[in-house]
């Protein structure tokens, strides 16, 4: 179980964190601020190992069989109880389908509820790999601005062009990459716009449980719509461990039934049956919430270390808003250097960052920094190095910006 220190447990180490085992590995001397991962010290190996052992003992061979197509009923019920209702009635287990995470859910939706050549409207900035998945489903990905009026205009243009909009893809809570939270007023207007145009939405809520400052997060789009016309996606990848490949979607029961009838689920059942049993035990017994509380503290320490390392100089050249949750800080440059200048200058001081254009159309040179993948001391050092590289006349931008 997680303790008072920065580590999740004795087994949460990086001993075998190497190429050929995990997805991406950088050189030890490089501080990687680009991926939306949890660092090894925050992954609760001991906790998850115990959960698997408990449920294998409780379920025996049933834990190793094909799972129910929609996913384990107990976990779906537990998740339904956690969802906000926004006075529309709490969802029931039949509103939920267990998935292998957000990527799997997007592919399932993109191949079941949409057809190649149809349009998906996405925010001007958003999850880059989500866009790629939708594109790989044969869908036409078009951007719109962040304002509900801009969404309305984009839907009107599509109607005038006789383009079929399959759905709108949104990330209103602790947005990736900007970290912002859409206000209640805007959420209500978005739901109204969608209803008037009779176009469904997919709400990516990957970071929704990672409130770091105790702010009052508005009800989800799904809750405001009564889970009609909105499919809400959740995942344990950001709060527990990405290697579990476990998430869920919430939608009208008819949509859930349609998705559960996909051939890949008919063939193999729930994509993560044994893991679902283990996680259900953690949620039911309160271990998941205790871990989530511990994780929020650790992420808050890491966010504050990164922001604290910037210093006053960086704030003179960059705009950024301290995020109240999630994994990311979004920087917008007011200087004359380009995004590539910033990325290259960071690399020269041993820091890997994500250029903003990777996430859509930027209005000024922008950078996304993740504070989830490194300990506080390394984040503070990296932030100071970036501040020097990006602002000092003798820094890594010398000869690029100051010539």
């Amino acid at each position: 179980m997680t303790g008072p220190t920065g580590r999740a447990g004795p087994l949460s180490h990086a001993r075998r964190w190497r190429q050929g085992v995990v997805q991406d590995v950088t050189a030890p001397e490089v501080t990687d601020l680009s991926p939306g991962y949890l660092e090894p010290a925050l992954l609760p190996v001991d906790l998850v190992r115990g959960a698997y052992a408990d449920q294998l003992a409780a379920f025996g061979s049933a834990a190793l069989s094909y799972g129910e197509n929609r996913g384990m009923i107990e976990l779906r019920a537990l998740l339904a109880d956690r969802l906000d209702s926004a006075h529309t009635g709490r969802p029931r287990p039949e509103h939920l389908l267990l998935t292998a995470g957000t990527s799997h859910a997007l592919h399932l939706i993109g191949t079941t509820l949409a057809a190649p050549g149809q349009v998906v409207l996405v925010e001007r900035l958003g999850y880059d790999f989500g866009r790629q998945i939708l594109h790989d489903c044969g869908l036409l990905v078009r951007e719109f601005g962040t304002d509900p009026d801009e969404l309305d205009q984009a839907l009107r243009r599509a109607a005038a062009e006789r383009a079929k909009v399959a759905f709108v893809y949104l990330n209103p809570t602790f947005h990736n990459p900007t970290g912002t939270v859409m206000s209640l007023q805007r959420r209500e207007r978005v739901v109204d716009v969608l209803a008037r145009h009779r176009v469904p939405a997919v709400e990516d809520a990957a970071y929704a449980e990672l409130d770091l400052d105790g702010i009052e997060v508005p009800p989800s789009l799904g809750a405001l719509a009564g889970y009609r016309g909105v499919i809400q996606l959740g995942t344990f990848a950001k709060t527990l461990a990405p290697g579990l490949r476990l998430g869920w979607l919430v939608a009208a029961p008819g949509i859930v039934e349609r998705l559960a009838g996909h051939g890949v689920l008919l063939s193999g059942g729930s994509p993560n049956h044994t893991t679902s049993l283990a996680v259900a035990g953690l949620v039911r017994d309160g271990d998941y919430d205790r871990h989530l509380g511990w994780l929020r503290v650790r992420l808050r320490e890491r966010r504050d270390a990164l922001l604290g390392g910037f210093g006053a100089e960086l704030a003179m050249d960059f705009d950024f808003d301290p995020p109240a949750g999630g994994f990311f800080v979004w920087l917008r440059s007011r200087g004359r250097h380009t995004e590539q200048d910033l990325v290259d200058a960071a690399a020269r001081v041993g820091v890997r960052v994500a250029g903003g254009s990777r996430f859509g159309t930027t209005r000024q040179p922008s950078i996304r920094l993740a504070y989830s993948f490194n300990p506080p001391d390394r984040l503070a050092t990296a932030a100071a190095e970036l501040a020097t590289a990006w602002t000092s006349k003798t820094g890594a931008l010398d000869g690029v910006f100051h010539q």
Side-chain angles (χ1 to χ4, degrees):
M1 185 51 205
T2 54
T5 67
R7 283 193 171 273
L11 291 180
S12 296
H13 53 67
R15 193 174 302 150
R16 295 180 182 271
W17 199 280
R18 60 178 182 239
Q19 203 71 44
V21 177
V22 298
Q23 187 179 52
D24 190 24
V25 180
T26 52
E29 64 273 15
V30 174
T31 301
D32 195 354
L33 303 185
S34 62
Y37 303 163
L38 289 170
E39 66 168 298
L42 300 180
L43 297 175
V45 184
D46 309 78
L47 181 65
V48 172
R49 181 177 65 167
Y52 274 105
D54 290 346
Q55 299 312 309
L56 285 167
F59 285 90
S61 60
L64 300 181
S65 178
Y66 291 113
E68 207 274 347
N69 291 0
R70 292 169 297 176
M72 184 205 185
I73 182 66
E74 182 184 7
L75 182 54
R76 288 190 286 125
L78 288 165
L79 290 170
D81 286 342
R82 298 174 69 87
L83 292 166
D84 51 356
S85 61
H87 313 296
T88 59
R90 192 169 297 281
R92 302 179 300 278
E94 53 264 38
H95 285 85
L96 281 94
L97 176 77
L98 299 187
T99 70
T102 299
S103 298
H104 173 243
L106 284 173
H107 185 264
L108 194 62
I109 292 166
T111 54
T112 305
L113 305 181
Q118 292 183 347
V119 170
V120 174
L121 294 178
V122 302
E123 296 167 286
R124 180 173 57 83
L125 292 167
Y127 177 39
D128 53 334
F129 295 129
R131 292 183 179 208
Q132 181 177 332
I133 290 167
L134 298 172
H135 177 269
D136 290 347
C137 290
L139 303 174
L140 305 178
V141 179
R142 293 185 184 176
E143 293 180 358
F144 68 92
T146 57
D147 189 270
D149 290 336
E150 293 175 293
L151 172 59
D152 183 57
Q153 292 165 10
L155 288 167
R156 290 178 185 276
R157 281 195 300 271
E161 296 167 3
R162 299 186 182 277
K164 169 63 175 176
V165 178
F167 55 86
V168 179
Y169 178 47
L170 299 146
N171 177 203
T173 306
F174 306 129
H175 180 268
N176 177 13
T178 66
T180 57
V181 177
M182 186 186 290
S183 69
L184 175 59
Q185 181 184 29
R186 284 196 171 192
R187 291 177 193 232
E188 290 173 336
R189 289 174 60 201
V190 165
V191 169
D192 178 64
V193 168
L194 293 168
R196 283 192 286 107
H197 287 274
R198 297 185 179 181
V199 171
V202 174
E203 176 184 15
D204 188 339
Y207 301 92
E209 290 196 296
L210 292 176
D211 168 20
L212 306 185
D213 292 333
I215 68 169
E216 186 175 348
V217 177
S220 65
L221 298 176
L224 291 171
Y227 299 98
R228 294 184 296 273
V230 176
I231 301 175
Q232 182 180 327
L233 310 183
T235 180
F236 288 103
K238 309 303 181 184
T239 59
L240 201 53
L244 297 176
R245 305 311 304 149
L246 179 61
W248 65 93
L249 63 80
V250 194
I255 296 295
V256 170
E257 283 300 310
R258 185 173 171 187
L259 293 171
H262 193 290
V264 73
L265 297 179
L266 292 176
S267 171
S270 179
N272 40 38
H273 173 56
T274 308
T275 297
S276 299
L277 299 179
V279 173
L282 294 176
V283 176
R284 181 190 62 240
D285 297 340
D287 287 326
Y288 173 67
D289 279 319
R290 284 187 286 274
H291 170 74
L292 189 55
W294 175 88
L295 179 63
R296 288 172 178 141
V297 173
R298 304 284 82 80
L299 288 173
R300 184 163 62 246
E301 292 171 348
R302 284 153 175 78
R303 177 203 61 188
D304 292 349
L306 181 67
L307 294 174
F310 285 156
E313 270 194 53
L314 189 133
M316 295 174 62
D317 287 351
F318 290 82
D319 294 312
F320 61 93
D321 300 310
F327 281 6
F328 308 113
V329 174
W330 181 248
L331 300 174
R332 289 96 61 200
S333 171
R334 296 196 298 271
R336 289 180 285 128
H337 33 257
T338 68
E339 176 189 298
Q340 193 60 51
D341 290 338
L342 298 172
V343 172
D344 291 344
R348 284 193 286 273
V349 296
V351 183
R352 184 182 180 189
V353 302
S357 60
R358 169 179 149 182
F359 306 97
T361 302
T362 56
R363 292 174 176 167
Q364 58 197 112
S366 303
I367 296 290
R368 190 194 76 175
L369 303 179
Y371 48 82
S372 55
F373 193 52
N374 289 277
D377 57 345
R378 192 159 187 177
L379 287 165
T381 299
E385 290 170 337
L386 289 176
T388 299
W390 288 342
T391 61
S392 171
K393 291 185 179 180
T394 59
L397 277 172
D398 193 26
V400 176
F401 174 40
H402 297 287
Q403 60 184 344

